[in-house]
Amino acid sequence: MLKVLVSCANGTGTTLMMKTTAEKSLKSLEIKDFDIHTCALSGCEHTATDYDLIFCPINFTDMFKEATEKGVKVIGIKNILSEDEFKQKLEESGYLEDLKNK
């Protein structure tokens, strides 16, 4: 199962909108076995390494440097409501290929 984290500054409104967009994007890419969690940036820096994939606003990707170093794919999003951006960033990251090869 793919463990996904969606995070933003406060972990409330924006995070929930991003979660919905991420769910739609993953489903449209035929990724069915995933679990998405949400949290505020200040509450998940230390647990970020427990996930396979993290979506966050693009200006917060540096907050997950430790997770990135440990192999977690961190994807910064500019338009949190754009399914196309989520899918494009996933494709560009090479992470979709990794999932298909597992």
Side-chain angles (χ1 to χ4, degrees), residues 5-8 39-49 51 54 64:
L5 177 66
V6 177
S7 182
C8 76
C39 76
L41 287 170
S42 62
C44 62
E45 292 171 6
H46 302 293
T47 61
T49 56
Y51 296 90
I54 297 173
F64 297 103

Side-chain angles (χ1 to χ4, degrees), residues 2-8 15 18-19 21-23 25-26 29 31 36-39 41 44 51-58 60-61 64 72-77 80 83 85-91 93 95:
L2 178 64
K3 291 179 67 181
V4 181
L5 177 66
V6 177
S7 182
C8 76
T15 304
M18 286 180 70
K19 178 183 178 185
T21 308
E23 286 173 341
S25 301
L26 291 169
L29 291 167
I31 299 169
I36 299 181
H37 294 263
T38 62
C39 76
L41 287 170
C44 62
Y51 296 90
D52 303 305
L53 175 63
I54 297 173
F55 289 110
C56 66
I58 200 163
F60 295 126
T61 56
F64 297 103
V72 176
K73 182 60 73 174
V74 178
I75 297 179
I77 300 294
I80 63 164
E83 287 181 54
E85 182 179 354
F86 276 76
K87 292 189 286 189
Q88 178 185 355
K89 295 273 181 98
L90 271 169
E91 290 169 352
S93 73
Y95 196 70

